[in-house]
Amino acid sequence: HPLARDGAVAVIGLGRFGGSLATELAAYGVDVIGIDIDEAVVAQYSDKLAFVSRTDATDETVLRQVGIEEVSRVVIAIGNDVEAGILVASKVLKIGNQHIWAKAVSQTHADILGQLGIDNVIRPENDMGRRTAHLIRGHMSDFM
Ligand code: ATP
């Protein structure tokens, strides 16, 4: 794969979370391989990312064809379809990428991803809630 080198990042699922993550990485010059099952979503990112692919990421064969095994960083950003997210995580773990980040939408989802061996589980709403609390505390200290 022409783009598959150490600096590339694969983002699987280009919803609000995966899409903004992929766009931000690309804006910093990172080679992003964007993967989504939805053709319209893929079309939306075709001129923003280094490479896009309309792929069902639960299919290990197709994941390998896209060159996922040569990418050392993979983000799994599938939330609503918890089953798909867990399946994709197990396939990516099997392929053996070194660093995997995965988004979870519930504690159960996060627990399962952790049990599978995903080290970096992201809970966007929970994480952002904590961060916003810090922002508000900073705002309060400006006036105290
Ligand atoms: P966000 O909140 O970030 O928008 P979401 O949880 O509302 O995400 P999801 O249902 O998690 O949305 O889907 C995120 C993206 O993942 C969608 O664009 C969807 O098409 C894609 N997706 C879902 N299943 C698969 C799959 N099996 N393979 C590849 N992409 C998938």
Side-chain angles (χ1 to χ4, degrees), residues 7-74:
V9 178
V11 179
I12 302 173
L14 299 169
R16 289 170 300 176
F17 178 77
S20 63
L21 171 80
T23 305
E24 189 74 4
L25 285 172
Y28 279 96
V30 177
D31 276 347
V32 177
I33 298 172
I35 295 165
D36 202 284
I37 198 169
D38 188 322
E39 182 71 63
V41 173
V42 169
Q44 200 188 322
Y45 287 92
S46 60
D47 59 352
K48 295 193 183 85
L49 310 179
F51 181 78
V52 291
S53 175
R54 199 217 69 85
T55 294
D56 180 351
T58 61
D59 186 333
E60 188 184 330
T61 309
V62 195
L63 273 184
R64 288 185 190 274
Q65 281 166 5
V66 171
I68 211 92
E69 55 204 319
E70 290 145 65
V71 179
S72 58
R73 295 177 189 86
V74 177

